Amino acid sequence: MRSLVLALSLALVPGTRARLHTNPSPPKLVVVIVIDQFRADYPQQFRSYFSPGGINLFFQRGAVFSRARYEHGVLFTCPGHAVVMTGSYADVNGIVSNYWYDQKAGREEYCAADSSASLVGAGGAGRSPRYLLDSTFGDVLKGASGGLSRVITLSGKDRAAIMLGGHLADAAYWTLDTLFVTSTYYEKELPRWVRGFNASGKASAYLGRPWTRLLPAGAYAATGPDDVATERSAAGMGRTFPHRPPAGSPHDSLIEAFETSPFHNELLAEFAMQAIVREGLGRHRHPDLLAIGLSANDLIGHAYGPNSHEVMDATIRTDRLLERLFQFLDRRVGLANVIIVVTGDHGVAPLPEVMQKRDPRAGAARLDPAVIPAAAEAALRARYGSAGASSWIAHHDYPYLYLNLAGLRRKGASVKEAELVAKKAVQEMPGVQQAVTATELIRQRRQGVHSNAERSFFPGRSGNVYYQLAPYVIPQERPEGTSHGAIWPYDTDVPLLWFGPGIVPGEYAGPAAPSDIAPTLSALLGIAEPSGSEGRILKEMLR
C-alpha cells in the first residue's frame, strides 16, 4: 500500500524534483512543532518569563503571526494536526473529528484506526493514516525527492503523530505506557535505537516524580489563585502545587500523572533529539522533515484550565524545552540550515466558574451533553412516533447528531425533513448558538459558500445535524476541568511562529491560518503544495 502511494505521489507532482534542485539554498531540515492546546494569548502573556532562545527566538529573529485562526468548526486534536500538514480542512481531507459514526456499519470510527495493521513495540490494534484523504507536506516532500527525504514524526498521541506524518512518513512514533511504539503500517519492527531508548528506562524514571513550580510562587499570582474548586485533580495529584501521585498509586495512575505533567514533553524532546542523530536528519542530500506533537499541554489544560498556575508553569517549561531543542539543532545541523514552525492544534475554554467570576454577563456555563440528543429524540418521536426498539438518534458526539436512517426509511420519512425537526429542537436548547443540517451544508458546498461548519463537513462521516454552543458554554456534565472544540477565538486562535532561511523576521498583523503552513513550506522548498491545500502562501514573510 505504501509503495503504491509513493508511486502515485511521484506521478502527481511532475517536475517537483527539478524545482527542489533549482532552489538556490534549500534547508537541510524542516522542523514542525505542534503544541497541543496552545492558545494565541500564551506567548504574549508569558513572554517576560521566556528564555532568549525558545519562543523569544521567533520574536527576535523570526516571523510571528500572533493570531492564526483555524477556519473549521471542530477544534480537536486529529482535525487540527491534519490541517497543519495538509493545508486542507475536513471538507477535503475527511478528518471530521477524533471520532465519528459510520451510519452504514453502525459503529464509531477512530480517526487513526486501522484493523489491518498492528502495534509494533506493544500489543494492540494498529494505527495508520488510511482515513486521511489528502496528501501532507511530508508526502509531497517524499515525492519531490524521489523518496530520499526522511520524514519522521512523533507525539504522545498516536493520532497526532500519524496526521503529522501522512501516508509516506518513514516512521511515526507515539507513547504507550512507558514505551515508544509504532504501527506495522510504517515498520515491521522498531529500529535498534528505539528499542534501546525504550530499554533505557528513561520514561520509567519520571514516574512518581513530583511536579513543582519552575519559578517563585509569587510569579504566578497574575493568573489567579492556585486552588480553584472546579479544577480536576489529575491522577489524585491534588489541585495545588506541588503535584505528586499519592503514595502507593497503581501503575495506571502513575502513567496518568506523568502524561499530565511537563515531564512527558521532556521525554518527547529527548526522543526527538535521538531521532535527529540516529536517523541522520539534516545530513542528507535532500531536506528532511521532523514533526513533533507535544501532548502534555493539552491534558494539563483540560484538568486545570488556561488561567491556572499549572498551565503557566507548563508553558514556561515548554519554552525552556524548545530552547534546548533549538540549541541541539544548532550544534547538530546549524540553525542557518533549519526551518522551524511552531503552532497549536486548538485552544481551550476557561473554566466556566472562573469566567463567571471575571464577567458574570459572559454566560459561561456547563451543559450536560445528554440534553442535546434527548431534545432531538423527543421532537422526532412527536413527529414520527416511536422508532421501535432503537432511538431516532443513532449516535451523538459533540458537535454532531447522527440520525437513525434505517428507522426513517421504514417510516417512509424524508431524511431532509427529519434533519430539520432535529435541528429546530437543538436550536431551542439553552446554551446552543447555532445548528445546521447536513443537507444545508451540502447546499453550501455546491454554492461555494464556506463556513466553519462547511469546512468541517464530509459526507458519510459528519452527522446529520451540526451544532455549536454559545461562547463560554462547554459540553461537560461534571463540574471539573474544561474543554475545547468550539468556533470562538479561545479555541480557534493559535500562534504561528516561523524561523529559518528565506523568512523575513517581524511581527505580522495580517490574517493567517495553520492551513497556510503546508503551502508556505512547499514554497520555501520550491516544491508542489499538497494536492488539496486550501491555505495560502504567506508571501509577506518570504524573502
Side-chain angles (χ1 to χ4, degrees):
M1 176 64 181
R2 280 169 55 81
S3 60
L4 174 61
V5 174
L6 177 57
L8 288 172
S9 71
L10 288 169
L12 290 172
V13 288
T16 54
R17 192 181 310 179
R19 285 199 292 273
L20 184 64
H21 288 307
T22 57
N23 192 317
S25 56
K28 295 180 179 180
L29 178 62
V30 175
V31 179
V32 177
I33 301 170
V34 181
I35 305 172
D36 206 321
Q37 202 182 112
F38 192 38
R39 283 186 14 160
D41 53 331
Y42 291 171
Q44 289 292 356
Q45 183 179 355
F46 305 127
R47 185 179 172 187
S48 61
Y49 301 105
F50 289 161
S51 58
I55 292 174
N56 274 321
L57 174 71
F58 301 93
F59 282 99
Q60 295 162 2
R61 298 167 56 192
V64 174
F65 294 84
S66 58
R67 284 192 177 275
R69 177 161 295 176
Y70 281 98
E71 298 174 308
H72 61 176
V74 185
L75 279 296
F76 296 126
T77 296
C78 211
H81 284 78
V83 170
V84 166
M85 295 307 271
T86 64
S88 63
Y89 292 96
D91 61 334
V92 172
N93 66 44
I95 304 299
V96 299
S97 190
N98 290 341
Y99 297 87
W100 58 82
Y101 186 70
D102 186 326
Q103 288 172 299
K104 290 183 179 179
R107 64 172 180 263
E108 189 176 63
E109 297 287 0
Y110 176 54
C111 66
D114 188 347
S115 59
S116 67
S118 57
L119 287 187
V120 180
R127 298 287 185 255
S128 85
R130 70 182 181 122
Y131 284 130
L132 181 66
L133 304 179
D134 196 8
S135 58
T136 63
F137 167 74
D139 295 336
V140 175
L141 182 62
K142 293 288 286 188
S145 66
L148 298 178
S149 291
R150 297 287 290 170
V151 175
I152 307 292
T153 68
L154 59 107
S155 178
K157 298 179 181 180
D158 54 13
R159 57 185 177 270
I162 288 168
M163 294 301 136
L164 291 175
H167 303 278
L168 298 178
D170 295 282
Y173 301 109
W174 55 90
T175 58
L176 184 65
D177 201 282
T178 59
L179 303 174
F180 279 91
V181 300
T182 189
S183 168
T184 52
Y185 175 87
Y186 301 100
E187 300 173 303
K188 300 305 179 186
E189 63 178 9
L190 291 174
R192 180 180 297 177
W193 73 266
V194 178
R195 297 198 303 271
F197 191 95
N198 285 339
S200 70
K202 289 181 181 293
S204 298
Y206 285 109
L207 299 187
R209 180 175 167 181
W211 174 17
T212 59
R213 291 184 179 92
L214 183 66
L215 305 177
Y220 300 80
T223 64
D226 187 21
D227 190 6
V228 176
T230 54
E231 292 179 340
R232 181 174 64 84
S233 173
M237 293 190 296
R239 299 196 305 254
T240 60
F241 279 106
H243 294 287
R244 56 169 54 89
S249 293
H251 181 75
D252 287 350
S253 292
L254 292 176
I255 293 296
E256 181 187 355
F258 164 57
E259 293 177 343
T260 318
S261 79
F263 306 137
H264 193 250
N265 284 347
E266 290 185 15
L267 181 73
L268 289 171
E270 290 183 50
F271 188 81
M273 288 185 279
Q274 280 288 304
I276 291 167
V277 174
R278 301 297 184 178
E279 297 288 344
L281 300 182
R283 298 200 169 187
H284 299 116
R285 179 182 177 189
H286 299 279
D288 298 320
L289 170 65
L290 173 66
I292 305 169
L294 297 177
S295 305
N297 305 69
D298 182 61
L299 299 180
I300 293 167
H302 273 291
Y304 302 102
N307 307 109
S308 63
H309 291 205
E310 288 80 6
V311 162
M312 177 177 173
D313 193 77
T315 305
I316 295 168
R317 287 177 179 271
T318 300
D319 171 75
R320 301 290 196 276
L321 201 63
L322 293 179
E323 183 179 52
R324 280 178 47 206
L325 179 60
F326 299 160
Q327 289 173 345
F328 178 84
L329 286 168
D330 195 23
R331 293 192 301 271
R332 180 74 185 176
V333 184
L335 283 184
N337 302 308
V338 181
I339 291 175
I340 305 172
V341 185
V342 174
T343 191
D345 61 342
H346 54 72
V348 69
L351 294 170
E353 297 74 20
V354 170
M355 195 65 199
Q356 287 165 2
K357 290 183 178 180
R358 294 190 173 191
D359 185 359
R361 300 168 299 175
R366 296 177 188 270
L367 178 71
D368 181 354
V371 305
I372 300 296
E377 176 73 20
L380 290 164
R381 282 178 179 268
R383 175 67 179 83
Y384 302 111
S386 172
S390 57
S391 301
W392 286 118
I393 305 302
H395 188 75
H396 171 239
D397 189 9
Y398 171 74
Y400 288 119
L401 276 176
Y402 296 81
L403 300 186
N404 179 349
L405 300 183
L408 290 171
R409 283 195 297 268
R410 287 193 298 269
K411 291 278 186 176
S414 160
V415 173
K416 177 180 177 180
E417 180 190 70
E419 288 176 345
L420 291 172
V421 171
K423 169 189 169 179
K424 184 175 184 294
V426 171
Q427 280 183 324
E428 292 175 351
M429 294 299 297
V432 173
Q433 179 78 13
Q434 66 170 3
V436 61
T437 70
T439 300
E440 291 169 335
L441 291 172
I442 290 171
R443 184 167 62 247
Q444 281 187 24
R445 179 168 301 179
R446 288 172 180 166
Q447 295 172 344
V449 176
H450 295 295
S451 64
N452 298 81
E454 187 275 329
R455 287 190 177 92
S456 299
F457 179 77
F458 194 87
R461 294 185 181 180
S462 300
N464 297 96
V465 177
Y466 164 94
Y467 69 95
Q468 270 296 350
L469 302 180
Y472 303 110
V473 177
I474 62 172
Q476 278 190 333
E477 179 182 4
R478 296 178 59 189
E480 295 176 336
T482 186
S483 191
H484 52 79
I487 59 173
W488 311 114
Y490 52 74
D491 275 354
T492 60
D493 291 9
V494 295
L496 180 51
L497 314 175
W498 295 81
F499 173 89
I503 294 168
V504 179
E507 296 187 41
Y508 295 85
S515 58
D516 302 333
I517 293 172
T520 302
L521 285 174
S522 297
L524 281 163
L525 268 64
I527 62 177
E529 299 179 9
S531 56
S533 175
E534 298 172 274
R536 71 179 181 91
I537 297 171
L538 297 171
K539 295 180 180 178
E540 61 268 39
M541 72 162 196
L542 302 185
R543 294 194 186 280

